[in-house]
């Protein structure tokens, strides 16, 4: 079992930038094409900006044209958790960091093979650890 990380809002605000805080702790979404990683082709591992958990590999990143970093697979089944989000007019599946519950983005069933999934993730919730 992964150990859960929990901090107060105040502690997260100290650690994160305003944008990172809004997105990861308040379920925000960065504007398309404004993030640091949507066009990034560097190889490495994408970590959770909040807790440093390994979430995605650059090998599974693809150019979705959406303006957000997109992956067809999470690093492991234990890296991320999914919950149904009914807050928008249509229900979507939210993706969280399993270790600290940071909001990462959403997953859609229109990605490339082999999974057919598209993890649409905010740059602000990620930190690339380059190889
Ligand atoms: Zn995390």
């Amino acid at each position: 079992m992964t150990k859960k990380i929990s901090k107060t809002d105040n502690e997260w605000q100290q650690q994160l930038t305003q944008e990172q805080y809004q997105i990861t702790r308040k379920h925000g979404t960065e504007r398309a094409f404004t993030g640091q990683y949507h066009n990034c082709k560097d190889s490495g591992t994408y970590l959770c900006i909040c807790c440093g958990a390994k979430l995605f590999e650059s090998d599974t990143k693809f150019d979705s044209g959406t303006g957000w970093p997109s992956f067809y697979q999470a690093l492991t089944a234990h890296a991320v958790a999914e919950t149904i989000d009914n807050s928008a007019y249509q229900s979507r599946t939210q993706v969280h960091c399993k270790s600290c519950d940071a909001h990462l983005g959403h997953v859609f069933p229109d990605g490339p093979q082999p999974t057919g999934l598209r993890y649409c993730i905010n740059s602000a919730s990620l930190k690339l650890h380059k190889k």
Side-chain angles (χ1 to χ4, degrees):
M1 283 294 287
T2 324
K3 214 193 274 177
K4 278 269 182 193
I5 293 162
S6 99
K7 294 188 183 186
T8 64
D9 272 1
N10 211 351
E11 287 172 311
W12 287 123
Q13 274 176 304
Q14 306 265 323
Q15 179 190 332
L16 303 168
T17 68
Q18 183 67 18
E19 186 187 32
Q20 290 164 351
Y21 175 77
Q22 280 301 326
I23 289 169
T24 59
R25 312 316 310 183
K26 298 292 169 194
H27 290 191
T29 302
E30 71 198 11
R31 289 176 54 206
F33 300 101
T34 62
Q36 190 181 356
Y37 295 126
H38 76 88
N39 214 7
C40 177
K41 304 232 176 359
D42 296 336
S43 62
T45 304
Y46 287 88
L47 312 179
C48 174
I49 192 72
C50 291
C51 75
K54 294 176 180 172
L55 301 176
F56 298 96
E57 279 293 351
S58 57
D59 297 353
T60 63
K61 192 173 186 291
F62 67 98
D63 186 4
S64 64
T66 58
W68 290 282
S70 301
F71 304 86
Y72 61 77
Q73 192 169 39
L75 187 67
T76 71
H78 305 295
V80 300
E82 295 171 12
T83 52
I84 304 295
D85 169 12
N86 288 313
S87 64
Y89 55 90
Q90 76 192 84
S91 86
R92 298 178 296 177
T93 305
Q94 276 187 12
V95 185
H96 299 90
C97 170
K98 219 169 190 174
S99 307
C100 74
D101 288 333
H103 172 70
L104 306 172
H106 292 88
V107 59
F108 300 95
D110 58 6
Q113 292 305 315
T115 61
L117 297 173
R118 172 169 60 92
Y119 288 85
C120 184
I121 306 298
N122 291 291
S123 297
S125 62
L126 298 173
K127 180 179 170 58
L128 176 60
H129 182 74
K130 289 186 196 177
K131 269 189 189 133

